[in-house]
Amino acid sequence: MEMDWVSFLTDPVTLASGFAALGSQIAWTQQAALWLGHDGLAVLAVVGGFFGGLALGGLALGRRIDRSADPARWYAGCELAIALWSAVLALGMAPACRALVQALGPAPAGGVHALVALGGVFLLLLPATVAMGATLPAMQRLVAGPGQPAAAIGWLYAGNTAGAVLGVLAGAFWLLPTLGLARTAGLCALLNLACAAGVLAWRRRGGAGRLRERRRGGPAQGRGHADGSGGATEPRWGHQHAHGGALRWGGVTKAVAHRHGLHCGLAGARA
């Protein structure tokens, strides 16, 4: 019964987190294109910065979260960090990009231009993307216990990916044309805040304590690490699970589909 209650919480949270992540990414790509002057370079810069930040977040924080006795607080903290930095970017990305353009000068060398474009976008997005990279490990740690941890992470990943698909479609074809860049980013930040608030409310009602009691009933299983975020996260399973190869190929497939989906979304937004 407890797992049913946890699923009732985590299914909409992971869906909303994935929606917010990819909705924010669409907005960031559009903002980057305004100063880079080229959609293709903007997609490359934002996608590279996005996945680079996810990897760093999972690598830097995954083990600490796995050892934590309070993963709900970790998850809520990550979502709060994403929301706050998304709000900062909604207001500050344009002036920051103008400063980068001024630093480049009127005729920068090709290598310098690429370095500043890719590195600048990577650093601008880094606080949010690192936090995104730690959300899936935190949620996995929150729900995994005796029983079927692999099934639990599968549902989390599926929900997060579904939310990401909805975020791309809604962001490109509805939110951006209707609300504009700043308001779309603000709406995604509000979704991140809602995810944090939902998990904290569940934690205050004693849900985390009941999960810990349930885990004491059997040996801890499947505490593999995962790297990823609310909308767009990639698991890092190593060799701990028999189906790790399939999941790694699934991650590659998602990354390829994500890239093409982002191109289609931006094309729709430009149309």
Side-chain angles (χ1 to χ4, degrees):
M1 180 64 73
E2 179 68 28
M3 180 56 74
D4 291 340
W5 165 220
V6 174
S7 297
F8 179 77
L9 168 77
T10 57
D11 288 350
V13 165
T14 53
L15 187 75
S17 183
F19 184 103
L22 266 294
S24 295
Q25 187 177 347
I26 286 286
W28 295 338
T29 304
Q30 290 282 68
Q31 287 178 301
L34 294 177
W35 74 275
L36 291 174
H38 192 281
D39 283 350
L41 184 57
V43 169
L44 180 63
V46 173
V47 171
F50 192 85
F51 281 105
L54 293 184
L56 286 177
L59 181 65
L61 300 175
R63 291 186 181 276
R64 295 185 63 183
I65 293 170
D66 192 52
R67 294 192 298 265
S68 172
D70 194 358
R73 180 176 291 181
W74 271 100
Y75 182 85
C78 290
E79 290 286 1
L80 180 60
I82 297 166
L84 292 177
W85 195 250
S86 296
V88 169
L89 289 177
L91 300 174
M93 192 169 184
C97 290
R98 284 196 297 268
L100 287 174
V101 170
Q102 292 174 358
L104 281 171
V112 173
H113 184 234
L115 180 63
V116 172
L118 299 177
V121 170
F122 175 80
L123 292 176
L124 280 173
L125 304 183
L126 190 61
T129 55
V130 165
M132 288 177 183
T135 54
L136 190 62
M139 187 60 77
Q140 184 265 345
R141 175 67 173 80
L142 181 64
V143 303
Q148 296 179 333
I153 192 64
W155 279 111
L156 292 177
Y157 190 61
N160 194 253
T161 303
V165 171
L166 292 175
V168 168
L169 296 176
F173 295 103
W174 176 46
L175 294 176
L176 283 176
T178 304
L179 302 179
L181 289 172
R183 290 181 179 177
T184 297
L187 177 62
C188 292
L190 287 177
L191 280 177
N192 292 124
L193 287 176
C195 292
V199 170
L200 285 178
W202 171 79
R203 176 179 174 273
R204 283 195 297 269
R205 294 172 69 90
R210 290 195 296 273
L211 271 180
R212 285 193 294 270
E213 290 176 4
R214 189 190 67 192
R215 290 191 185 103
R216 294 191 189 105
Q221 302 178 27
R223 295 256 181 107
H225 301 294
D227 294 341
S229 82
T233 49
E234 307 302 326
R236 177 170 56 83
W237 290 85
H239 300 285
Q240 296 179 5
H241 299 285
H243 57 292
L247 281 173
R248 282 193 293 273
W249 277 109
V252 172
T253 302
K254 181 190 169 186
V256 173
H258 165 274
R259 177 72 182 273
H260 288 287
L262 189 58
H263 274 295
C264 292
L266 287 171
R270 292 280 185 182

